[in-house]
Amino acid sequence: MNQVVDKPLSINDITAMKRNGEKITCLTAYDAGFAAVIDKVGIDIMLVGDSLGMVIQGHSTTVPVTIEQMVYHTQCVSRVRKRAYLIADMPFMTYGSTDMAAKNAAQLLQTGGAQMVKLEGAKIDCVRFLVEQGIPVCGHLGLLPQSIHQLGAYSVQGKEPEAAQKLRDDAQQLQQTGASLLVLECVPAALAKQISEELTIPVIGIGAGVDCDGQVLVLYDMLNIGTSKRPRFSKDFMADCNSVEDAIKAYQHAVKNAEFPGLEHSF
Ligand code: KIV
């Protein structure tokens, strides 16, 4: 395919997509080779996810990932990025206080080349502090993989009315505090739709149904090259494609046209 010729996307471009009803595409990226293909296809956001602890490093959780490793992988991706907006995850226990959060987020932006950082949970004080320092923040609610040892299982969140209300309240608070984006992971599709409609910032879903403003998948899951079982909410886009580039194009097309996720990928 032809290179998608475009200027680098800013957070304003991503927010405008929500306003204009254009679905936002996001994939995880951890290295220059895959990142170059993702960027070339025209995926809107690349997320250097701490899922790299599982799919790259072979750990069973994201907990062991360090800030140094996140900076290294963010550098690998940012070196080849031309158009996609670039977000990097803050790993486990790197935002336990506002000072820690600022120091570690600064590394991801200054040394890594990220444009935004993502934090799991309603860490309102940290989000406020980072935003005050001029660091854009993406919230992450629903299933929080860094809390797996507390949760006990990777399961759907927000099924009970009280839990659903808490997620809606947390989402509002994150927006009010200055978060620019929100990832919603593994929540019932109806709840994700409601939250997406209630917020003005874009909501990017994973296992959260088709009515979010955009979708994200772990690259290795959608290319079916993961080391563990693919989650139900993901899809093997390589199944009907002959190349990585074509699989990513198929994902891009399916998300932009609200053909993915289907009901079989939703809760
Ligand atoms: O680490 C990651 O890849 C993520 C996505 C699953 C949203 O946070």
Side-chain angles (χ1 to χ4, degrees), residues 15-31:
T15 308
M17 288 179 190
K18 170 166 182 149
R19 268 201 314 276
N20 299 333
E22 179 183 346
K23 295 283 185 189
I24 300 158
T25 52
C26 177
L27 280 176
T28 64
Y30 317 104
D31 68 83

mmCIF file of all heavy atoms in Angstrom, residues 15-31:
data_model
loop_
_atom_site.group_PDB
_atom_site.id
_atom_site.type_symbol
_atom_site.label_atom_id
_atom_site.label_comp_id
_atom_site.label_asym_id
_atom_site.label_seq_id
_atom_site.Cartn_x
_atom_site.Cartn_y
_atom_site.Cartn_z
ATOM 1 N N THR A 15 -8.892 14.177 19.394
ATOM 2 C CA THR A 15 -10.148 14.631 20.004
ATOM 3 C C THR A 15 -11.162 15.024 18.933
ATOM 4 O O THR A 15 -12.366 14.759 19.072
ATOM 5 C CB THR A 15 -9.869 15.826 20.952
ATOM 6 O OG1 THR A 15 -8.820 15.446 21.838
ATOM 7 C CG2 THR A 15 -11.087 16.191 21.775
ATOM 8 N N ALA A 16 -10.653 15.634 17.849
ATOM 9 C CA ALA A 16 -11.561 16.026 16.757
ATOM 10 C C ALA A 16 -12.216 14.798 16.126
ATOM 11 O O ALA A 16 -13.356 14.863 15.659
ATOM 12 C CB ALA A 16 -10.794 16.821 15.705
ATOM 13 N N MET A 17 -11.487 13.677 16.104
ATOM 14 C CA MET A 17 -12.073 12.451 15.530
ATOM 15 C C MET A 17 -13.332 12.070 16.313
ATOM 16 O O MET A 17 -14.349 11.700 15.738
ATOM 17 C CB MET A 17 -11.054 11.305 15.566
ATOM 18 C CG MET A 17 -9.934 11.457 14.568
ATOM 19 S SD MET A 17 -8.762 10.078 14.684
ATOM 20 C CE MET A 17 -7.450 10.705 13.648
ATOM 21 N N LYS A 18 -13.259 12.164 17.644
ATOM 22 C CA LYS A 18 -14.450 11.861 18.445
ATOM 23 C C LYS A 18 -15.579 12.824 18.075
ATOM 24 O O LYS A 18 -16.710 12.403 17.847
ATOM 25 C CB LYS A 18 -14.136 11.943 19.944
ATOM 26 C CG LYS A 18 -15.412 11.876 20.807
ATOM 27 C CD LYS A 18 -15.175 11.620 22.260
ATOM 28 C CE LYS A 18 -16.505 11.534 23.004
ATOM 29 N NZ LYS A 18 -16.480 10.646 24.142
ATOM 30 N N ARG A 19 -15.265 14.105 18.058
ATOM 31 C CA ARG A 19 -16.299 15.115 17.745
ATOM 32 C C ARG A 19 -16.951 14.851 16.388
ATOM 33 O O ARG A 19 -18.141 15.024 16.217
ATOM 34 C CB ARG A 19 -15.671 16.512 17.721
ATOM 35 C CG ARG A 19 -15.718 17.243 19.033
ATOM 36 C CD ARG A 19 -15.564 18.750 18.831
ATOM 37 N NE ARG A 19 -14.504 19.132 17.921
ATOM 38 C CZ ARG A 19 -13.208 19.256 18.257
ATOM 39 N NH1 ARG A 19 -12.829 19.041 19.506
ATOM 40 N NH2 ARG A 19 -12.312 19.604 17.367
ATOM 41 N N ASN A 20 -16.133 14.384 15.434
ATOM 42 C CA ASN A 20 -16.633 14.172 14.076
ATOM 43 C C ASN A 20 -17.181 12.768 13.850
ATOM 44 O O ASN A 20 -17.542 12.417 12.730
ATOM 45 C CB ASN A 20 -15.507 14.432 13.059
ATOM 46 C CG ASN A 20 -15.002 15.863 13.154
ATOM 47 O OD1 ASN A 20 -15.741 16.752 13.562
ATOM 48 N ND2 ASN A 20 -13.742 16.077 12.807
ATOM 49 N N GLY A 21 -17.198 11.971 14.915
ATOM 50 C CA GLY A 21 -17.762 10.625 14.794
ATOM 51 C C GLY A 21 -16.874 9.658 14.030
ATOM 52 O O GLY A 21 -17.328 8.627 13.548
ATOM 53 N N GLU A 22 -15.559 9.991 13.932
ATOM 54 C CA GLU A 22 -14.631 9.057 13.272
ATOM 55 C C GLU A 22 -14.005 8.144 14.318
ATOM 56 O O GLU A 22 -13.442 8.620 15.314
ATOM 57 C CB GLU A 22 -13.523 9.833 12.537
ATOM 58 C CG GLU A 22 -12.520 8.894 11.871
ATOM 59 C CD GLU A 22 -11.355 9.607 11.186
ATOM 60 O OE1 GLU A 22 -11.422 10.830 10.985
ATOM 61 O OE2 GLU A 22 -10.382 8.893 10.860
ATOM 62 N N LYS A 23 -14.101 6.845 14.120
ATOM 63 C CA LYS A 23 -13.514 5.900 15.080
ATOM 64 C C LYS A 23 -11.990 6.035 15.090
ATOM 65 O O LYS A 23 -11.360 6.225 14.042
ATOM 66 C CB LYS A 23 -13.893 4.461 14.708
ATOM 67 C CG LYS A 23 -15.384 4.166 14.818
ATOM 68 C CD LYS A 23 -15.821 3.973 16.267
ATOM 69 C CE LYS A 23 -17.293 3.546 16.322
ATOM 70 N NZ LYS A 23 -17.811 3.560 17.702
ATOM 71 N N ILE A 24 -11.422 5.913 16.296
ATOM 72 C CA ILE A 24 -9.978 6.074 16.496
ATOM 73 C C ILE A 24 -9.339 4.691 16.581
ATOM 74 O O ILE A 24 -9.833 3.818 17.303
ATOM 75 C CB ILE A 24 -9.731 6.864 17.804
ATOM 76 C CG1 ILE A 24 -10.394 8.251 17.710
ATOM 77 C CG2 ILE A 24 -8.247 6.977 18.115
ATOM 78 C CD1 ILE A 24 -10.674 8.900 19.066
ATOM 79 N N THR A 25 -8.235 4.510 15.842
ATOM 80 C CA THR A 25 -7.566 3.207 15.880
ATOM 81 C C THR A 25 -6.286 3.303 16.704
ATOM 82 O O THR A 25 -5.539 4.282 16.612
ATOM 83 C CB THR A 25 -7.222 2.714 14.468
ATOM 84 O OG1 THR A 25 -6.506 3.731 13.765
ATOM 85 C CG2 THR A 25 -8.475 2.361 13.690
ATOM 86 N N CYS A 26 -6.038 2.267 17.481
ATOM 87 C CA CYS A 26 -4.839 2.224 18.322
ATOM 88 C C CYS A 26 -4.335 0.788 18.383
ATOM 89 O O CYS A 26 -5.135 -0.154 18.457
ATOM 90 C CB CYS A 26 -5.192 2.736 19.730
ATOM 91 S SG CYS A 26 -3.841 2.675 20.930
ATOM 92 N N LEU A 27 -3.035 0.622 18.320
ATOM 93 C CA LEU A 27 -2.405 -0.695 18.518
ATOM 94 C C LEU A 27 -1.206 -0.514 19.430
ATOM 95 O O LEU A 27 -0.573 0.558 19.433
ATOM 96 C CB LEU A 27 -1.923 -1.284 17.193
ATOM 97 C CG LEU A 27 -2.965 -1.965 16.308
ATOM 98 C CD1 LEU A 27 -2.321 -2.394 14.991
ATOM 99 C CD2 LEU A 27 -3.600 -3.176 17.003
ATOM 100 N N THR A 28 -0.858 -1.560 20.141
ATOM 101 C CA THR A 28 0.375 -1.489 20.913
ATOM 102 C C THR A 28 1.562 -1.665 19.965
ATOM 103 O O THR A 28 1.463 -2.309 18.920
ATOM 104 C CB THR A 28 0.441 -2.570 22.016
ATOM 105 O OG1 THR A 28 0.460 -3.853 21.410
ATOM 106 C CG2 THR A 28 -0.723 -2.438 22.991
ATOM 107 N N ALA A 29 2.684 -1.049 20.327
ATOM 108 C CA ALA A 29 3.929 -1.192 19.562
ATOM 109 C C ALA A 29 5.070 -1.178 20.559
ATOM 110 O O ALA A 29 5.015 -0.459 21.567
ATOM 111 C CB ALA A 29 4.071 -0.033 18.578
ATOM 112 N N TYR A 30 6.080 -1.994 20.286
ATOM 113 C CA TYR A 30 7.178 -2.114 21.243
ATOM 114 C C TYR A 30 8.552 -1.977 20.596
ATOM 115 O O TYR A 30 9.563 -1.907 21.281
ATOM 116 C CB TYR A 30 7.117 -3.486 21.948
ATOM 117 C CG TYR A 30 5.727 -3.919 22.366
ATOM 118 C CD1 TYR A 30 5.031 -4.883 21.646
ATOM 119 C CD2 TYR A 30 5.106 -3.360 23.478
ATOM 120 C CE1 TYR A 30 3.755 -5.288 22.029
ATOM 121 C CE2 TYR A 30 3.839 -3.750 23.867
ATOM 122 C CZ TYR A 30 3.171 -4.716 23.133
ATOM 123 O OH TYR A 30 1.919 -5.101 23.515
ATOM 124 N N ASP A 31 8.581 -2.030 19.259
ATOM 125 C CA ASP A 31 9.875 -2.006 18.568
ATOM 126 C C ASP A 31 9.742 -1.255 17.249
ATOM 127 O O ASP A 31 8.637 -1.007 16.764
ATOM 128 C CB ASP A 31 10.382 -3.435 18.322
ATOM 129 C CG ASP A 31 9.520 -4.157 17.319
ATOM 130 O OD1 ASP A 31 9.735 -3.960 16.111
ATOM 131 O OD2 ASP A 31 8.592 -4.891 17.725
#
